[in-house]
Amino acid sequence: MCSSAAPTRVQVVENILSANDMIAASNRHLLDHAGVFGINIMASPGAGKTSFILKTLEALQGRLRFGVIEGDLASSIDTDKARAAGLPAVQINTGGECHLDAVMLAKALPSLPLHDLDLVLVENVGNLVCPVNFQLGTHLNVLIASIPEGDDKPYKYPGMYMGMQALIINKTDLLPYVPFNMDYFRQGVEILNPGLTVFPVSCKTGEGMAAWADWLVERVRNSRRQ
């Protein structure tokens, strides 16, 4: 009995992911048709996703127009912050799901004025396991790691670090006060994802945000040339 249960479960998981990928492709088509670049932002709870998004807004003033889709288990706290900052924002409450999926994003995207935007930032549910397994249809996966989380996270959560196209190391202003070995951390990242683009930043001081904004503007412009 045990030998037959595992293959059945694997098939169910494969079917779920396959269906998700089909809807993700439809989401990508919608974004491409509107000329919008989408980014899936992932991180653990408390890494500073919302603060980073708001700092990105400041760094991109007059350069790119963007909106936000906020994913949380419950509440609209982060969406309220984004709207207060002047961003078009849509809330997704997963009701217990530990990640966003393509179906959730498909329902949220039409609520944004896509044809008036250059960029959509999707703030995924705070989790270092599930989100990377579910494609949304965005163009880029970005992970935010923060100094207080510790320097061992690439070694403990390799799947997350392997699935990224950019890494933000947030809260660098805390380096003098927190035992964090940057060389050890970045060695783990390099083993998993060689050549990954990395931005050390501080949302408190603004350090590193200009470099991130410049890189992001270039990525959006390059996507339009393709």
Side-chain angles (χ1 to χ4, degrees):
M1 292 179 65
C2 292
S3 61
S4 62
T8 300
R9 183 180 184 280
V10 169
Q11 184 61 51
V12 169
V13 172
E14 288 179 347
N15 290 343
I16 291 172
L17 292 177
S18 177
N20 182 82
D21 289 348
M22 291 179 62
I23 299 171
S26 177
N27 291 342
R28 175 71 69 88
H29 177 75
L30 177 63
L31 291 170
D32 288 342
H33 181 72
V36 177
F37 193 79
I39 297 181
N40 181 12
I41 298 180
M42 291 169 271
S44 64
K49 296 187 297 298
T50 304
S51 297
F52 178 73
I53 288 171
L54 296 179
K55 277 295 182 180
T56 298
L57 172 64
E58 293 179 16
L60 289 176
Q61 284 290 352
R63 304 175 72 185
L64 293 177
R65 305 162 299 169
F66 74 91
V68 177
I69 295 176
E70 297 282 356
D72 276 306
L73 299 183
S75 87
S76 62
I77 293 172
D78 292 340
T79 297
D80 294 341
K81 291 179 182 177
R83 288 174 178 164
L87 287 170
V90 178
Q91 180 69 47
I92 298 176
N93 288 133
T94 67
E97 291 292 332
C98 61
H99 57 83
L100 297 182
D101 60 30
V103 175
M104 297 176 191
L105 189 65
K107 293 178 180 179
L109 282 172
S111 297
L112 286 175
L114 293 178
H115 290 282
D116 296 326
L117 303 176
D118 305 301
L119 176 68
V120 169
L121 300 183
V122 180
E123 180 178 336
N124 216 310
V125 178
N127 192 324
L128 289 181
V129 181
C130 307
V132 74
N133 295 321
F134 288 82
Q135 298 298 314
L136 302 183
T138 49
H139 299 86
L140 204 65
N141 287 333
V142 174
L143 176 64
I144 301 176
S146 67
I147 299 303
E149 293 174 62
D151 51 24
D152 57 0
K153 292 303 175 286
Y155 304 93
K156 290 185 174 181
Y157 301 94
M160 183 65 78
Y161 283 81
M162 291 171 65
M164 297 299 119
Q165 287 80 54
L167 171 65
I168 309 298
I169 305 176
N170 193 20
K171 306 186 183 181
T172 55
D173 54 287
L174 295 179
L175 277 171
Y177 314 105
V178 176
F180 186 98
N181 187 325
M182 185 65 77
D183 291 338
Y184 176 70
F185 175 84
R186 297 193 69 157
Q187 180 183 13
V189 173
E190 184 65 19
I191 291 170
L192 296 168
N193 199 332
L196 180 65
T197 301
V198 179
F199 296 95
V201 308
S202 167
C203 291
K204 181 177 181 179
T205 68
E207 176 191 1
M209 293 304 301
W212 155 250
D214 290 344
W215 182 83
L216 190 53
V217 168
E218 188 61 26
R219 287 300 298 258
V220 173
R221 288 174 177 170
N222 286 341
S223 71
R224 290 173 175 170
R225 298 188 189 110
Q226 296 175 0

